[in-house]
Structure formats: C-alpha cells, structure tokens
Amino acid sequence: MDADLRSNLFQQAKDWVMEAGANIKAKIDDPLTINTKSNAKDLVTHMDQETERFFQTKIKKKYPDHFLLSEEGYGDNLSNLDGIVWIIDPIDGTMNFVQQKRNFAISVGIYLDGIGEIGIIYNVMDDVLYHAIRGEGAFKDDVRLPKLKESLTLEESMIGLNHNWLCRNRLVKEDTMQQLVRKVRGTRTYGSAALEFAYVAEGIMDGYLTMGLAPWDVAAGIVIVNEVGGVTTTIDGQSVNMLTTNPIITCNSEIHSQVIVEYIKKGRK
C-alpha cells in the first residue's frame, strides 16, 4: 500500500473511531436494548449495532470500493481478503460494556490483500488509543511503544488466559493448562480480546491465549503486536485464517514456542 494512502486511511479511521467513541460515551448511561446471539453469554446491544452501522455508512460513502468484515451483520459476505478490507468490532467486550460500563474497546483493522496495514484499538472509557501502521511502529496515544523485552522466561511472564481454558476447554486438557498457570508468574482476564492484544503490545502482559476469536477480535491487535516484535498464531503455531474463528495465542516471541510445544501440543485432546 502506498505510504500516502496508508497515512490518509489511518487518519480517517482514527477520526471515525474517535467520533464513534464520543457517541458511545455520550450515551453510556442510556437504557440498553440487550439481546443474545449464540448463547446467554454472547450479548449484543443496540449500541453495538448502531456503532457498526456508523462505520458501514462512513466507509461505503467515502470508499465505495473497500470491503467491510464485521461482527453485527452490516458487513460484506467475503470469501477472500482481496483488495482493501476494514475488519471492525464496534464494541469488543460487550459484556463489560453492559455490566461494567468500562473495559471495552472499538477495534479497527485495515488489510490489503490479507496483510494488516493499520490497527486501531480505542479503550473508550479510559480514552486511550493504541494504534499502528505497518512498518512505522506502534503507539499508545502519542507515545511510541518499545520493542518487547528480550530473554523473557515463562516464570517471569504474565499471561492473559480466559478461564474457559480451565473449566470447559474442548482443545487442550485442563490439567495441562493448570500446569501452565502454575508455571507463569500470574494470569489475568480482562474480558476484551482487543484490549488484551493492546496490553501484550504495551508489554504489561506477555501473552494472551483464547479458544476462539473471530477476525474482528484480532485484526487490529495483530498489526499492533507485530510492530513491537510480538507474534500471533493459532495455538498450533499456524498462521491465523482471517476469515474464520481461530484458537489464538499472541505473545512475546521469547515464550511463543515454549507455550505451544510444552503445554498446548502435549496437552491436545
């Protein structure tokens, strides 16, 4: 992608993200219409849908030849990532949005022919913007994020780990994951995949594992983590398919192979 086009796209995407965030904050205390999707824990609100419609309208008007891949049904039905594709989660962490009114994010990734060019994750209520343009580094607001620490061990690592790994995991034996929990320095769960990616990029967490994330959960985060030297794959170490749901590990590259080889592959059911 041409450098000028990337810069212009980033600025436009950032402006829309901030506008959408301001709208969410202005309405944060309004009554919510809450529905469920796949199960009682899979929530969607009218604000998720309103925010996605906002992006869909803006993108299709200004960039009619661009595509949209998104969570709430307003995007295009894509079988590939040819061309310029915006991959958007309007509110990542909907349960947090509903229950806590914080700890959720707007996530926007822009891809060209399957390659992540731009990543934006906006922590709405804390007013913190994580962002990256491929090859130009990653930032928290206006502060450039340093490369992730070298010579990191698992014993020194803080890992984001959804508790479903320990109680209803269909992929890896629960006792193997319990061994990983005992090995690392600590675990945390924040309830927003986008924010967990951002925290890995910031270096305040060293990795994040989860059983199933959709493209809109990871698209922006992958770009941002890449720019600080991190790595994102499936839990088997394979490339992430950006058109399907994947079990994901994103982490400091120093611990990537150890987690996969010593814990995930040995514990596969």
Side-chain angles (χ1 to χ4, degrees):
M1 183 182 288
D2 175 80
D4 288 339
L5 175 58
R6 277 194 305 185
S7 178
N8 290 336
L9 277 177
F10 167 74
Q11 189 58 56
Q12 183 62 84
K14 177 184 174 183
D15 290 345
W16 286 341
V17 165
M18 300 306 290
E19 184 177 347
N23 183 61
I24 292 171
K25 283 189 281 190
K27 298 179 179 180
I28 194 68
D29 292 319
D30 290 357
L32 279 175
T33 301
I34 305 170
N35 294 302
T36 60
K37 293 186 285 188
S38 61
N39 57 63
K41 299 178 183 179
D42 188 8
L43 305 181
V44 61
T45 73
H46 74 276
M47 187 56 66
D48 295 80
Q49 296 165 335
E50 178 181 322
T51 304
E52 187 166 305
R53 282 198 303 269
F54 166 82
F55 281 107
Q56 191 263 355
T57 301
K58 294 289 189 180
I59 292 166
K60 293 301 182 180
K61 181 176 181 180
K62 189 171 182 66
Y63 305 111
D65 57 335
H66 292 193
F67 300 99
L68 173 63
L69 184 61
S70 53
E71 183 171 16
E72 308 304 344
Y74 297 97
D76 299 295
N77 184 17
L78 300 180
S79 60
N80 60 64
L81 290 180
D82 294 347
I84 297 177
V85 182
W86 296 60
I87 307 178
I88 295 177
D89 195 336
I91 297 180
D92 184 83
T94 299
M95 189 180 296
N96 290 350
F97 171 67
V98 171
Q99 297 284 135
Q100 303 173 347
K101 298 185 179 180
R102 61 181 301 127
N103 299 321
F104 61 89
I106 298 172
S107 177
V108 176
I110 303 178
Y111 281 58
L112 172 63
D113 296 333
I115 297 174
E117 299 283 352
I118 293 166
I120 298 173
I121 296 171
Y122 182 46
N123 184 335
V124 176
M125 301 311 292
D126 288 349
D127 191 26
V128 175
L129 188 77
Y130 297 88
H131 57 93
I133 297 174
R134 184 171 66 87
E136 298 183 17
F139 296 79
K140 179 182 179 182
D141 292 326
D142 295 326
V143 178
R144 188 185 185 100
L145 296 176
K147 293 291 185 180
L148 298 181
K149 68 180 76 169
E150 298 179 355
S151 302
L152 179 72
T153 67
L154 273 180
E155 290 88 348
E156 301 169 313
S157 299
M158 180 82 75
I159 302 292
L161 187 67
N162 188 303
H163 293 148
N164 289 334
W165 280 101
L166 306 179
C167 62
R168 61 177 183 85
N169 179 16
R170 300 180 301 278
L171 300 174
V172 183
K173 295 176 183 176
E174 286 84 354
D175 61 346
T176 304
M177 300 311 299
Q178 290 164 10
Q179 292 172 27
L180 176 60
V181 170
R182 296 187 188 102
K183 180 77 169 180
V184 299
R185 176 168 285 169
T187 61
R188 295 293 183 270
T189 298
Y190 292 96
S192 165
L195 290 180
E196 306 227 34
F197 267 82
Y199 298 157
V200 170
E202 189 177 355
I204 59 176
M205 286 204 316
D206 301 299
Y208 171 53
L209 288 84
T210 190
M211 283 190 291
L213 292 181
W216 41 81
D217 297 314
V218 304
I222 288 174
V223 179
I224 297 171
V225 168
N226 283 349
E227 286 299 306
V228 293
V231 60
T232 304
T233 67
T234 69
I235 62 170
D236 292 313
Q238 303 301 310
S239 298
V240 177
N241 184 333
M242 295 302 295
L243 291 171
T244 65
T245 296
N246 298 268
I248 292 289
I249 175 172
T250 186
C251 63
N252 186 310
S253 60
E254 295 286 321
I255 62 172
H256 181 258
S257 61
Q258 188 177 354
V259 173
I260 290 177
V261 172
E262 295 185 17
Y263 293 93
I264 294 176
K265 287 189 175 179
K266 287 184 179 180
R268 283 296 241 157
K269 292 183 177 179

